[in-house]
Amino acid sequence: MADDFKQAVDDGAKASKAATDRAANAAKGAADTMRETTEKARDAFSEKVVDPARRAGEAMTETGGKIAEGGATIGKTMIDQAEQNAREAFAAMREAASAKDLTQVMKIQGDYLREQSQRSMSQAREISELIMKFGKDAVAPLRGDGPK
């Protein structure tokens, strides 16, 4: 009977060990599955949320730089145009001051006004073209058209 009891205890211990091993393997498998699922979720989050947000931030930064660059260029162009207009106005005033009679003054003024009108239209066209170009350049990174 002692042998039977010993055998029963050994059999119970073996069964308990086998059950513990199966439970440990199941827990290890569950932990491995959770780890893999977590890694996949992290990769998917990075791919679907973090990376697009990073790219959007980079595009906004690039767009801001292009807007500042465009504004500076447009401002410089407008200053150059104002300088040209002032030179032309002073040249016309000098010419009018040296005119011999009122008819000559009227002709000088008429010529100046005609040329200034053409110059103003040309300058407005130039500024409009710059604004359109810089507008397109500024939104290109936001649309994904810009250089990467």
Side-chain angles (χ1 to χ4, degrees), residues 95-106:
E95 192 176 348
S98 64
K100 295 187 180 13
D101 59 22
L102 185 58
T103 307
Q104 200 174 13
V105 171
M106 297 294 280

Side-chain angles (χ1 to χ4, degrees), residues 40-103:
K40 287 179 184 176
R42 183 184 64 236
D43 291 346
F45 181 78
S46 180
E47 180 182 328
K48 301 290 185 195
V49 176
V50 174
D51 290 346
R54 179 185 47 76
R55 285 191 301 272
E58 290 169 354
M60 292 293 287
T61 300
E62 187 176 344
T63 293
K66 289 189 179 293
I67 289 171
E69 177 184 318
T73 301
I74 290 169
K76 182 186 174 304
T77 301
M78 291 174 79
I79 290 169
D80 291 345
Q81 289 175 351
E83 183 179 11
Q84 179 187 11
N85 292 341
R87 276 194 312 270
E88 295 294 331
F90 281 111
M93 284 189 278
R94 277 189 205 94
E95 192 176 348
S98 64
K100 295 187 180 13
D101 59 22
L102 185 58
T103 307

Side-chain angles (χ1 to χ4, degrees), residues 108-122:
I108 292 168
Q109 283 183 330
D111 291 346
Y112 168 77
L113 290 174
R114 187 174 28 265
E115 290 169 7
Q116 181 57 38
S117 175
Q118 291 171 349
R119 196 171 28 257
S120 291
M121 287 178 19
S122 174

